[in-house]
């Protein structure tokens, strides 16, 4: 089969749009006369057939009308069919009337509809063979109307292959709407290639169907390549525009200016975008309350704005608008959607507060304070409990002395006028106040803030009371010369009765006088000096001497005042040298500075004049005075002055001639620092008083009595040979250790000693076989000899002091034998051990003084018990590290 393209013929009524040709004459002169549109013979309803340029014909037209009811014309000049039209004649015409209602003018445009004629190409006489050009492989668009009314099945178009001229060809299709959802929407006749639709289609669900057409022979051979066959669903205006919200809520201030944006409404349309079906226009159908019209909406954007500045929340605080949106660019045949818009007018401070009356009166008793005397109500039409409604009150005039205060009651919005400082009826019977009021929030209207309506006058009447005396001023001053004679009378404190404005009938009493210097006359209030006034006694000297006075009337009502006495200074004190005793280190210090002070006022004080009065020739020769400043002088010595303490008289005089002489003790000392000589001088200069001497004598007597008692006790207890008191302090006492391996010299019979508990058990036990021969050995206390601790050492034995007791062998240079030492110390040691071996309840202690036997040489076990020490670890090596005084003592007692 030769390669041949599918020949497609469009026969359906739905494909007439592909042949539509629009011809518009653009010349302005002809546009108003005639417009020719080439159209097919059959026209479907609501289809555009062309466009007429109306602006060039009549730009100011505001009404467009069609002379043929089968056609309608939009504002942009688009011409649509109102219903299905079949053109029986080759030509059909109608007129379009354009009107301007304001200018009362009208124009007409003639529209001529012509059939599209087929132009057949005639073969040239010279051509002997008809040549057919090869078709390009591209599908011919096909469409169907959305929501078509049929009849169904609805013929769409015929598909025909060139191979059908020579072969029997069968047609088939596939794709969405055939073998894909929605199934069986399209089918094609197997033999003829006619394509049909079985039911209406919703464009909003399926906007295009991409089908594939096939042509095959009876034996299954493909007569041609598959042909893509798109079927587009033409949109129908079947969806109403819908607002995004059913109810819109907006707010606008009542003080908004003209053109203020209130809010934006928005709507959507499911029809095909960018077509007349989705071209929306907004408008306001209704406003409640109806009059006046205060809002407008932009037809394209949906922005709502104010068109009037007469918004007043106090008149209408809420508006309701019915909003309309219409497709087809707002044409009367477009579909409509509605919504509600609630606009709330918010409050602004456009109403000034006003007083209910222009004048008020109030009454208050004199001397009363912190009391409420008046409440002033105001009226404000703004929203209650907001800053536009709440007010602030101000006292504009009449409160120069600060007697009044006005505040706002937050609950009632009233002004509360209070007296905060006592008023005096005698000074002012009434007070006139001017009160102003304004809001917390700034005012929004362009009118004066303070007018005659927001000012009020308040007259406060002061009621008279019978008052007690007044001490005014509270502090009164009087000046008295120092050292004034006792009994002198001076004017004192004066109080008065506010009713009579004088002090008749008042009595005075003194409440407080720090030094008791004055008395007060009860009738006149004058003060009388009872002592000599000394300014220098009062501390601090430069302050006033305050006396508290009480004034009492006949009804025993009183007031208190202060009489401040300024004591006038006189030159009654000479200057005084501060130092009593000075130390000069020679030769390091060549002088010392002498300072003087004067308790009188400066007018009677410095500069001071220092001098050495008629003194001894030695003082005049060795010492000299030079001036340092107004209050100090420098005392210098000559080089030949000796080291000793000098008493130097120095006279100091103030500017008024008051002078005084002081004996200054000067210690000329050989030192590097004065403190060294001061310590020596204190030690040498101590003088004991009579009580100190008596205390010393009593101490000496007590000491002698204690010593006498001790001597008597020792003489009574000692019946044998008396040992000196320093026996234990001048001799080394031989002591055994428990360290293994030491040799001790003990008696052969293993003498047992009495324990602290007076039992028969010994401290050491018996002596072993390794004991030295030679019988008993005498252990003596040496003084100045050479006996060491090793003199009692036995071979491999461990004994106490008593284990070596026994022999009478004399040793050179020994003072006392062991028996003598034992008889003296044993009873006392036994008694001490017996007492120490008892606990707090006087019961024998189990672990205080215990007996230790020989445990063998090299025993790993150490000593146990409360008396053990750590000597067995270190041995006796510590004796080699004693201080020099112990080494000397050891050498004195070592055996030579």
């Amino acid at each position: 089969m030769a390669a041949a393209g599918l020949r497609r013929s469009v026969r359906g009524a739905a494909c007439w749009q592909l042949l539509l040709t629009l011809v518009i004459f653009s010349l302005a002169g002809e546009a108003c006369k005639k417009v020719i549109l080439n159209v097919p013979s059959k026209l479907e309803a609501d289809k555009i057939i062309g466009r007429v340029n109306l602006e060039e014909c009549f730009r100011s037209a505001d009404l467009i009308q069609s002379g043929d009811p089968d056609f309608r014309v939009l504002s942009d000049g688009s011409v649509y069919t109102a219903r299905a039209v079949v053109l029986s004649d080759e030509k059909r015409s109608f007129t379009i009337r354009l009107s301007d209602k304001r200018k009362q003018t009208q124009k007409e445009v003639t529209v001529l509809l012509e059939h599209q004629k087929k132009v057949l190409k005639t073969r040239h006489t010279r051509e002997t063979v008809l040549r057919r050009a090869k078709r390009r492989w591209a599908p011919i668009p096909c469409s169907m109307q959305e929501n078509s009314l049929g009849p169904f099945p609805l013929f769409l178009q015929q598909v025909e292959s060139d191979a059908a001229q020579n072969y029997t060809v069968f047609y088939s299709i596939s794709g969405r709407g055939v073998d894909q959802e929605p199934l069986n929407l399209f089918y094609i006749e197997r033999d003829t290639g006619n394509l049909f639709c079985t039911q209406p289609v919703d464009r909003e669900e399926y906007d295009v169907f991409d089908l594939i057409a096939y042509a095959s022979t009876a034996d299954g051979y493909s007569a041609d390549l598959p042909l893509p066959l798109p079927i587009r669903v033409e949109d129908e205006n079947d969806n109403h525009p819908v607002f995004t919200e059913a109810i819109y809520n907006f707010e606008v201030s009542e003080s908004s200016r003209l053109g203020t944006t209130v809010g934006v409404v928005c709507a959507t349309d499911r029809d095909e975008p960018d077509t007349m079906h989705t071209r929306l226009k907004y408008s306001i159908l209704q406003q409640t309350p109806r009059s006046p019209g205060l809002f407008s909406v932009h037809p394209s954007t949906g922005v709502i704005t104010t068109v009037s500045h007469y918004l007043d929340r106090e008149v209408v605080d809420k508006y309701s608008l019915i909003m309309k949106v219409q497709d087809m660019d707002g044409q009367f045949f477009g579909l409509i959607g509605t919504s509600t818009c609630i606009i709330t007018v918010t409050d602004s401070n456009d109403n000034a507060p006003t007083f209910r009356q222009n004048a008020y009166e109030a009454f208050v008793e004199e001397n009363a304070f912190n009391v409420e005397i008046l409440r002033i109500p105001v009226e404000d039409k703004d929203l209650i409990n907001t800053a536009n409604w709440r007010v602030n009150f101000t006292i504009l005039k009449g409160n120069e002395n600060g007697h009044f205060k006005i505040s706002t009651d937050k609950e009632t919005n009233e002004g509360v006028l209070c007296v905060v400082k006592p008023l005096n009826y005698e000074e002012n019977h009434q007070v006139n106040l001017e009160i102003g009021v304004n809001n917390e929030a700034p005012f929004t209207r362009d009118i004066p803030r303070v007018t005659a309506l927001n000012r009020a006058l308040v007259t406060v009447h002061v009621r008279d009371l019978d008052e007690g005396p007044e001490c005014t001023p509270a502090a009164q001053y009087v000046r008295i010369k120092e050292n004034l004679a006792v009994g002198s009378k001076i004017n004192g404190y004066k109080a008065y009765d506010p009713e009579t404005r004088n002090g008749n009938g008042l009595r005075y009493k003194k409440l407080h006088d720090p030094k008791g210097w004055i008395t007060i006359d009860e009738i006149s209030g004058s003060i009388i000096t009872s002592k000599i006034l000394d300014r220098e006694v009062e501390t601090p000297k430069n302050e006033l001497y305050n006396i508290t006075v009480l004034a009492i009337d006949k009804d025993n009502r009183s007031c208190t005042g202060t009489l401040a006495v300024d004591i006038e200074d006189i030159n009654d004190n000479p200057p005084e040298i501060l130092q009593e005793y000075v130390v000069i280190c020679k030769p390091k210090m060549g002088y010392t500075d002498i300072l003087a002070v004067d308790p009188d006022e400066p007018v009677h004080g410095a500069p001071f004049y220092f001098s050495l009065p008629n003194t001894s020739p030695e003082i005049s020769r060795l010492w000299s005075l030079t001036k340092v400043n107004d209050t100090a002088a420098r005392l210098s010595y000559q080089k030949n002055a000796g080291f000793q303490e000098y008493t130097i008289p120095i006279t100091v005089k103030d500017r008024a001639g008051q002078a005084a002489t002081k004996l200054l003790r000067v210690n000329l000392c050989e030192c590097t620092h004065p403190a060294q000589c001061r310590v020596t001088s204190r030690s040498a200069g101590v003088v004991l008083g009579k009580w100190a001497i008596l205390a010393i004598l009593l101490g000496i007597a007590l000491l002698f009595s204690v010593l006498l008692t001790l001597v008597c006790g020792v003489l009574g207890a000692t019946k044998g040979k008396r040992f000196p008191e320093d026996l234990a302090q001048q001799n080394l006492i031989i002591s055994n250790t428990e360290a293994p391996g030491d040799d001790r010299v003990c008696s052969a019979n293993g003498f047992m000693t009495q324990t602290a508990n007076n039992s028969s058990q010994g401290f050491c036990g018996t002596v072993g076989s390794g004991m030295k021969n030679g019988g008993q050995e005498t252990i003596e206390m040496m003084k100045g000899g050479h006996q060491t601790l090793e003199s009692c050492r036995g071979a491999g034995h461990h004994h106490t002091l008593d284990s070596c007791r026994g022999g009478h062998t004399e040793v050179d240079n020994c003072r006392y034998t062991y028996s003598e030492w034992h008889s003296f110390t044993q009873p006392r040691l036994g008694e001490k051990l017996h007492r120490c071996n008892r606990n707090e309840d006087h019961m024998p202690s189990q672990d205080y003084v215990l007996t230790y036997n020989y445990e063998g040489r090299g025993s790993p076990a150490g000593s146990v018990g409360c008396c053990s020490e750590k000597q067995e670890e270190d041995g006796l090596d510590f004796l080699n590290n004693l201080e020099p005084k112990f080494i000397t003592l050891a050498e004195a007692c070592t055996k030579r």
Side-chain angles (χ1 to χ4, degrees):
M1 177 180 179
L6 286 175
R7 183 178 58 188
R8 286 148 291 187
S9 61
V10 181
R11 299 179 180 179
C15 295
W16 60 270
Q17 295 92 335
L18 302 176
L19 303 178
L20 180 62
T21 303
L22 176 63
V23 179
I24 302 175
F25 291 92
S26 60
L27 296 176
E30 299 180 359
C32 290
K33 295 180 180 180
K34 183 182 295 185
V35 176
I36 300 176
L37 301 177
N38 292 328
V39 296
S41 59
K42 293 182 179 180
L43 302 176
E44 293 187 359
D46 294 328
K47 295 297 181 182
I48 185 172
I49 60 175
R51 180 169 290 138
V52 179
N53 192 347
L54 302 180
E55 291 185 357
E56 293 185 1
C57 179
F58 197 7
R59 185 178 299 273
S60 62
D62 55 5
L63 179 61
I64 303 172
Q65 294 177 333
S66 173
D68 191 336
D70 291 338
F71 303 96
R72 66 174 185 268
V73 183
L74 303 185
S75 59
D76 61 350
S78 300
V79 180
Y80 281 79
T81 56
R83 59 179 65 87
V85 178
V86 178
L87 301 178
S88 57
D89 300 331
E90 291 185 357
K91 295 182 179 180
R92 181 173 176 175
S93 63
F94 64 93
T95 60
I96 299 175
R97 286 187 292 273
L98 305 176
S99 303
D100 188 343
K101 295 180 179 180
R102 290 176 295 181
K103 297 181 179 179
Q104 298 295 325
T105 57
Q106 183 175 346
K107 290 185 180 182
E108 292 185 354
V109 179
T110 302
V111 178
L112 178 63
L113 303 179
E114 292 184 352
H115 289 297
Q116 184 179 9
K117 299 180 180 179
K118 291 184 180 181
V119 179
L120 299 178
K121 182 179 179 180
T122 58
R123 188 180 64 178
H124 199 274
T125 54
R126 295 181 180 181
E127 292 182 355
T128 57
V129 179
L130 182 62
R131 298 181 180 271
R132 180 173 62 87
K134 185 177 183 180
R135 295 185 181 181
R136 298 180 62 188
W137 184 247
I140 298 176
C142 179
S143 64
M144 60 176 295
Q145 186 66 34
E146 178 188 13
N147 300 325
S148 176
L149 298 179
F152 295 98
L154 178 65
F155 173 75
L156 298 180
Q157 67 177 2
Q158 183 183 20
V159 179
E160 184 178 4
S161 175
D162 290 342
Q165 298 177 0
N166 301 319
Y167 304 96
T168 301
V169 177
F170 300 101
Y171 300 96
S172 62
I173 57 175
S174 65
R176 190 172 68 171
V178 181
D179 52 1
Q180 301 175 15
E181 290 293 337
L183 298 174
N184 301 323
L185 180 61
F186 302 99
Y187 72 91
I188 191 170
E189 289 183 348
R190 185 168 180 266
D191 298 328
T192 62
N194 293 331
L195 181 63
F196 294 91
C197 178
T198 61
Q199 61 187 12
V201 179
D202 185 3
R203 191 207 66 83
E204 286 70 40
E205 187 174 1
Y206 304 104
D207 57 344
V208 66
F209 295 93
D210 293 320
L211 304 181
I212 304 296
Y214 306 93
S216 60
T217 59
D219 55 359
Y221 178 75
S222 296
D224 211 335
L225 294 175
L227 176 68
L229 189 62
I231 298 178
R232 182 174 177 273
V233 181
E234 295 291 338
D235 182 47
E236 182 184 25
N237 191 18
D238 58 342
N239 289 281
H240 291 261
V242 179
F243 282 95
T244 56
E245 296 183 22
I247 297 177
Y248 292 90
N249 289 281
F250 301 120
E251 291 184 353
V252 62
S253 175
E254 63 176 328
S255 60
S256 298
R257 297 182 178 273
L258 192 67
T260 300
T261 299
V262 178
V264 180
V265 294
C266 183
T268 59
D269 196 319
R270 295 184 59 197
D271 290 325
E272 187 175 0
D274 301 325
T275 63
M276 292 295 294
H277 300 163
T278 55
R279 186 175 295 179
L280 307 180
K281 278 195 175 181
Y282 301 93
S283 60
I284 299 175
L285 283 180
Q286 181 181 346
Q287 172 186 304
T288 305
R290 294 182 177 273
S291 179
L294 302 176
F295 307 97
S296 67
V297 62
H298 192 280
S300 300
T301 61
V303 177
I304 301 174
T305 56
T306 58
V307 295
S308 174
H309 53 78
Y310 293 109
L311 286 172
D312 193 349
R313 188 204 63 84
E314 289 72 35
V315 177
V316 179
D317 62 349
K318 188 174 292 186
Y319 292 89
S320 176
L321 304 180
I322 304 299
M323 305 300 299
K324 183 186 80 170
V325 60
Q326 189 172 16
D327 60 13
M328 301 300 292
D329 202 21
Q331 297 294 326
F332 67 92
F333 49 82
L335 301 180
I336 297 173
T338 59
S339 178
T340 302
C341 181
I342 305 298
I343 299 177
T344 303
V345 181
T346 60
D347 185 48
S348 297
N349 190 18
D350 57 344
N351 293 281
T354 58
F355 291 101
R356 294 182 181 177
Q357 59 191 60
N358 295 330
Y360 297 88
E361 284 188 334
F363 297 88
V364 62
E365 294 182 351
E366 65 172 332
N367 300 326
F369 63 96
N370 292 335
V371 293
E372 176 185 325
I373 61 173
L374 181 65
R375 281 184 171 260
I376 307 175
V378 294
E379 293 181 353
D380 197 314
K381 296 180 182 180
D382 291 318
L383 188 62
I384 296 177
N385 293 326
T386 63
N388 302 327
W389 175 78
R390 290 189 291 267
V391 295
N392 292 324
F393 291 89
T394 306
I395 302 177
L396 301 176
K397 294 180 181 178
N399 193 32
E400 289 77 11
N401 296 324
H403 291 281
F404 302 93
K405 182 185 74 172
I406 190 167
S407 58
T408 304
D409 189 330
K410 300 300 182 182
E411 299 294 331
T412 62
N413 215 29
E414 294 177 325
V416 182
L417 182 64
C418 300
V419 176
V420 295
K421 185 178 178 181
L423 292 166
N424 194 337
Y425 175 82
E426 287 72 25
E427 294 179 357
N428 203 345
H429 298 336
Q430 71 178 25
V431 181
N432 296 319
L433 303 177
E434 184 176 356
I435 308 297
V437 63
N438 52 25
N439 290 117
E440 292 182 0
F443 203 70
T444 57
R445 295 282 179 89
D446 296 331
I447 61 175
R449 292 295 309 272
V450 180
T451 64
L453 295 178
N454 50 20
R455 289 190 180 207
L457 297 178
V458 178
T459 302
V460 180
H461 299 278
V462 183
R463 293 173 178 168
D464 185 28
L465 293 178
D466 188 9
E467 305 169 279
E470 286 190 5
C471 294
T472 304
Q476 299 179 15
Y477 299 87
V478 63
R479 188 176 181 86
I480 303 176
K481 282 191 176 184
E482 184 182 13
N483 299 330
L484 188 66
V486 175
S488 300
K489 192 172 183 179
I490 306 98
N491 292 332
Y493 193 89
K494 297 296 182 183
Y496 67 94
D497 189 341
E499 307 297 333
T500 61
R501 308 302 296 178
N502 58 53
N504 297 333
L506 299 181
R507 294 179 291 112
Y508 298 92
K509 288 185 178 181
K510 182 179 68 172
L511 290 181
H512 179 65
D513 182 3
K515 300 294 182 180
W517 284 346
I518 62 101
T519 59
I520 189 167
D521 185 89
E522 184 177 0
I523 303 302
S524 64
S526 300
I527 59 175
I528 304 170
T529 58
S530 58
K531 295 181 182 179
I532 297 296
L533 278 65
D534 190 354
R535 189 192 69 87
E536 288 73 34
V537 175
E538 180 64 15
T539 303
K541 301 180 181 62
N542 294 327
E543 289 191 359
L544 299 175
Y545 183 75
N546 294 324
I547 302 170
T548 305
V549 179
L550 179 68
I552 308 171
D553 65 4
K554 60 183 178 179
D555 295 326
N556 289 328
R557 291 173 295 190
S558 63
C559 68
T560 303
T562 300
L563 182 62
V565 180
D566 184 8
I567 302 176
E568 183 179 353
D569 183 50
I570 64 174
N571 191 14
D572 58 343
N573 292 282
E576 181 183 358
I577 296 176
L578 296 178
Q579 294 97 324
E580 297 281 348
Y581 173 81
V582 295
V583 177
I584 301 177
C585 289
K586 180 182 178 182
K588 185 176 182 180
M589 298 170 56
Y591 59 86
T592 184
D593 289 338
I594 308 302
L595 301 178
V597 294
D598 193 332
D600 290 326
E601 289 187 356
V603 67
H604 299 140
F608 299 145
Y609 303 96
F610 295 85
S611 63
L612 293 174
N614 296 327
T615 59
S616 63
E618 181 184 6
I619 298 299
S620 300
R621 179 174 53 86
L622 297 178
W623 299 92
S624 63
L625 274 175
T626 57
K627 183 177 179 180
V628 176
N629 52 36
D630 290 346
T631 60
R634 180 162 295 168
L635 180 62
S636 305
Y637 63 89
Q638 302 297 326
K639 293 183 179 181
N640 57 352
F643 295 107
Q644 68 179 52
E645 183 175 309
Y646 298 88
T647 301
I648 304 174
I650 300 176
T651 301
V652 58
K653 183 169 56 176
D654 61 18
R655 67 169 63 184
Q658 281 277 7
T661 301
K662 186 171 185 177
L663 294 178
L664 181 65
R665 294 168 50 226
V666 180
N667 187 0
L668 188 59
C669 180
E670 185 178 7
C671 58
T672 58
H673 193 275
Q676 299 173 350
C677 289
R678 287 198 184 99
V679 173
T680 305
S681 64
R682 288 196 197 100
S683 301
V686 173
V687 179
L688 297 178
K690 58 182 180 179
W691 293 108
I693 296 173
L694 180 60
I696 292 174
L697 293 177
L698 290 177
I700 294 173
L702 180 61
L703 179 61
F704 274 111
S705 63
V706 172
L707 292 176
L708 182 61
T709 303
L710 291 176
V711 169
C712 293
V714 171
L715 291 177
T718 306
K719 303 211 172 149
K721 185 176 180 179
R722 182 179 177 185
F723 286 84
E725 295 295 332
D726 60 347
L727 179 62
Q729 299 177 0
Q730 297 178 1
N731 297 276
L732 289 176
I733 300 175
I734 299 175
S735 174
N736 295 330
T737 62
E738 296 178 3
D742 293 339
D743 294 332
R744 295 288 180 265
V745 179
C746 297
S747 60
N749 58 0
F751 187 83
M752 302 297 292
T753 61
Q754 185 180 0
T755 65
N757 293 329
N758 296 327
S759 63
S760 60
Q761 185 178 0
F763 281 98
C764 294
T766 60
V767 181
S769 59
M771 181 175 55
K772 280 186 178 182
N773 295 328
Q776 281 189 338
E777 229 177 326
T778 302
I779 301 177
E780 299 175 347
M781 298 304 300
M782 307 296 296
K783 183 175 181 181
H786 301 283
Q787 182 75 17
T788 63
L789 294 175
E790 300 295 332
S791 60
C792 286
R793 183 174 58 188
H797 298 280
H798 187 72
H799 302 283
T800 64
L801 181 64
D802 292 341
S803 64
C804 297
R805 184 180 58 183
H808 301 281
T809 305
E810 296 291 335
V811 182
D812 295 336
N813 300 326
C814 291
R815 294 181 58 184
Y816 303 101
T817 62
Y818 174 78
S819 59
E820 292 174 335
W821 170 255
H822 183 270
S823 62
F824 176 77
T825 59
Q826 193 64 24
R828 291 167 176 79
L829 291 176
E831 182 181 358
K832 294 293 183 180
L833 290 175
H834 176 72
R835 292 179 180 177
C836 293
N837 200 26
R838 293 178 177 271
N839 56 20
E840 296 178 354
D841 299 329
H842 303 286
M843 299 298 293
S845 178
Q846 299 299 323
D847 191 17
Y848 191 82
V849 179
L850 300 179
T851 302
Y852 294 91
N853 293 330
Y854 178 69
E855 296 176 356
R857 183 183 298 273
S859 173
S863 299
V864 295
C866 65
C867 299
S868 299
E869 295 180 355
K870 205 175 179 183
Q871 294 179 358
E872 57 183 334
E873 295 179 7
D874 301 327
L876 299 177
D877 294 337
F878 69 95
L879 295 175
N880 298 326
N881 300 321
L882 297 176
E883 295 180 358
K885 60 181 180 180
F886 293 101
I887 296 176
T888 304
L889 181 61
E891 290 175 355
C893 299
T894 302
K895 181 185 294 185
R896 297 184 183 274

